[in-house]
């Protein structure tokens, strides 16, 4: 009987430890410039991870000290958390489906169109006043200054296949606008500017650049999509593992209760 309860406690401790990759994924997202500016997915991840950790530790204590009502609350709470994690994983997968960059002539990097992304993601950056906050955050980051320091010539920039979507969309004018390269963040406007709003939105002001362009929003969303997919993979693995551990814990708890009933029966209490 004691061994069964120790087994349940150990399983609950494993469930608590499975919160670590979920919390780590949230912290990793917080360290990314785009996610830090948008602040969408990292806090639900961290919040759910902390909740799983707290409930798992409560289940460990309840099993180790044989507190049946607390243990029952643990099973109910953990089931709700597993469902919440699964729902979040499915949601992230759905809103990040699709969206791929477009190749442009004589360029190794890709450019992006905001219409290729889900309506929910677009809505998060198009909310009134929301983009102004994100734009200010991006301008204060080293995203574009890094581009300026890394690529000295036009050929260096044009052949940069590892240019991030955020840098491609925010730190230079769209290729279709026909701007002439001077430095990665300083361009000469064509004599006849295109009617495209992004072409007129570009500014050589280091605080402006293309932060007001739709291409910048698209680059930001593509960066988010890549990072969210990685975090979602961790979330799916952690959720499946947590579900397996939860099922194992239920089985161990049921076995422990069966052993207890059998012991009472043998002692004549039934």
């Amino acid at each position: 009987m004691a061994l069964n309860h120790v087994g349940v406690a150990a399983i609950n401790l494993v469930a608590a430890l499975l919160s670590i990759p979920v919390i780590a994924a949230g912290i990793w997202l917080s360290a990314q410039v785009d996610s830090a500016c948008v602040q969408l997915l990292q806090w639900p991840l961290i919040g759910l991870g902390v909740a799983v950790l707290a409930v798992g530790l409560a289940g460990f204590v309840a099993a180790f000290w044989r507190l049946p009502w607390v243990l029952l609350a643990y099973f109910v709470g953990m089931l709700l958390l597993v469902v919440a994690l699964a729902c979040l994983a499915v949601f992230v997968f759905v809103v990040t489906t699709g969206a791929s960059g477009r190749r442009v002539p004589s360029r190794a990097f890709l450019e992006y169109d905001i219409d290729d992304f889900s309506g929910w993601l677009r809505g998060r950056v198009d909310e009134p006043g929301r983009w102004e906050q994100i734009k200010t955050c991006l301008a204060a980051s080293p995203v574009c200054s890094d581009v300026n320091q890394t690529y000295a010539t036009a050929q260096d920039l044009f052949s940069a296949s590892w240019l991030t979507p955020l840098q491609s969309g925010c730190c230079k004018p769209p290729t279709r606008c026909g701007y002439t390269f001077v430095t990665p963040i300083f361009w000469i406007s064509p004599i006849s500017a295109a009617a495209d709003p992004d072409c007129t939105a570009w500014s050589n002001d280091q605080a402006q650049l293309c932060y007001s362009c739709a291409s910048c929003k698209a680059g930001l969303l593509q960066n988010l999509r890549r990072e969210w997919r990685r975090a979602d993979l961790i979330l799916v693995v952690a959720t499946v593992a947590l579900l397996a551990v939860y099922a194992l814990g239920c089985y161990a708890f049921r076995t422990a209760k069966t052993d207890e009933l059998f012991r009472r029966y043998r002692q004549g209490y039934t």
Side-chain angles (χ1 to χ4, degrees):
M1 177 64 185
L3 287 176
N4 284 335
H5 275 282
V6 170
V8 175
I11 292 170
N12 293 349
L13 181 60
V14 172
L17 294 177
L18 285 173
S19 68
I20 294 176
V22 179
I23 296 173
I27 294 174
W28 175 74
L29 283 177
S30 299
Q32 308 305 307
V33 171
D34 46 349
S35 291
C37 290
V38 177
Q39 296 187 3
L40 284 176
L41 183 61
Q42 60 264 46
W43 296 118
L45 280 176
I46 293 174
L48 285 173
V50 170
V52 170
L53 178 62
V55 172
L57 290 177
F60 169 76
V61 172
F64 193 80
W65 294 102
R66 303 185 187 182
L67 305 173
W69 291 108
V70 178
L71 197 56
L72 181 60
Y74 156 79
F75 282 116
V76 173
M78 188 59 74
L79 178 61
L80 294 176
L81 287 173
V82 170
V83 171
L85 288 170
C87 290
L88 181 60
V90 172
F91 174 77
V92 171
F93 178 80
V94 170
V95 299
T96 56
T97 299
S100 60
R102 293 181 172 85
R103 294 199 174 276
V104 289
S106 304
R107 303 291 188 271
F109 53 78
L110 302 177
E111 294 185 344
Y112 302 87
D113 189 336
I114 193 170
D115 291 331
D116 291 339
F117 297 88
S118 69
W120 187 88
L121 275 180
R122 294 199 307 269
R124 302 292 73 74
V125 298
D126 282 336
E127 291 176 357
R130 178 66 170 158
W131 183 249
E132 291 301 317
Q133 299 174 0
I134 297 173
K135 183 171 67 172
T136 301
C137 178
L138 291 175
S141 74
V143 170
C144 292
S145 60
D146 286 349
V147 175
N148 194 42
Q149 294 171 7
T150 304
Y151 308 105
T153 67
Q155 187 57 38
D156 290 340
L157 179 65
F158 297 160
S159 61
S161 58
W162 49 86
L163 201 67
T164 68
L166 187 62
Q167 292 171 333
S168 174
C170 302
C171 304
K172 62 171 190 58
T175 302
R176 62 181 179 273
C177 296
Y179 278 72
T180 302
F181 177 94
V182 178
T183 72
I185 54 176
F186 192 93
W187 299 70
I188 297 176
S189 174
I191 296 175
S192 178
D196 192 317
D198 278 7
C199 299
T200 57
W202 167 262
S203 171
N204 287 319
D205 183 348
Q206 304 306 294
Q208 298 295 326
L209 298 180
C210 217
Y211 294 128
S212 297
C213 301
S215 64
C216 186
K217 296 179 181 179
L220 173 73
L221 293 182
Q222 178 64 15
N223 257 40
L224 286 180
R225 178 182 178 275
R226 289 181 177 180
E227 293 163 4
W228 284 21
R229 278 298 177 96
R230 294 171 186 169
D232 196 39
L233 178 61
I234 296 174
L235 185 59
V236 169
V237 172
T239 302
V240 172
L242 192 60
L243 182 61
V245 170
Y246 177 82
L248 187 60
C250 290
Y251 174 78
F253 177 69
R254 181 179 178 182
T255 301
K257 296 301 290 183
T258 302
D259 288 348
E260 183 179 4
L261 290 174
F262 184 68
R263 178 180 60 83
R264 289 181 178 179
Y265 175 78
R266 290 182 60 185
Q267 292 177 353
Y269 288 115
T270 58

